[in-house]
Amino acid sequence: MGMQATPQRTPDLRRTATSPRRRLRPAVVPMIARIGTALVGGYVLASAGATLIARLLPVDRAEATSWGMILSFLVYAIAVLWSFHEPRVMRVVLGIWGGSVAIGLVLALLGVRS
């Protein structure tokens, strides 16, 4: 008995091919979380940080506010860059939103500057 060639079956493309929408779906949710955290969460973190810096600096209010606003641009840029550099989305979300909440709690405990 000789070697027989096995017939090659062509795969049914309707069953094996996935639509582009289905292939992209798992990647869309983390990217939306990154973009939202970078834009909105980075802004909240930067503004809370600016408020905390303005509250804690031992100089007059106008100068402390100026320093807080200047440094908030740096905080915002770092938050946006880090949110797309970090491979784990949950770490980005917890880091930026958690930092914002922590700074907000510190500001609430400090109270209003008189």
Side-chain angles (χ1 to χ4, degrees):
M1 190 149 57
M3 291 183 42
Q4 294 179 353
T6 57
Q8 295 289 333
R9 288 184 41 189
T10 58
D12 186 10
L13 294 178
R14 288 173 289 169
R15 287 187 187 179
T16 59
T18 57
S19 67
R21 176 186 278 171
R22 178 166 252 175
R23 277 188 300 205
L24 292 178
R25 186 169 290 157
V28 170
V29 174
M31 187 53 68
I32 289 173
R34 280 184 195 274
I35 292 169
T37 300
L39 295 177
V40 178
Y43 177 78
V44 171
L45 182 67
S47 64
T51 306
L52 184 64
I53 289 169
R55 177 71 172 85
L56 293 179
L57 282 179
V59 294
D60 61 322
R61 283 186 183 181
E63 189 174 351
T65 303
S66 296
W67 275 107
M69 292 302 294
I70 289 169
L71 291 176
S72 72
F73 289 104
L74 180 64
V75 170
Y76 185 68
I78 289 172
V80 168
L81 289 173
W82 179 65
S83 68
F84 290 105
H85 176 73
E86 175 63 39
R88 295 188 178 146
V89 178
M90 192 53 77
R91 188 180 291 177
V92 171
V93 170
L94 291 176
I96 291 180
W97 288 108
S100 300
V101 169
I103 292 173
L105 290 175
V106 169
L107 287 169
L109 291 173
L110 288 174
V112 179
R113 184 175 181 178
S114 56

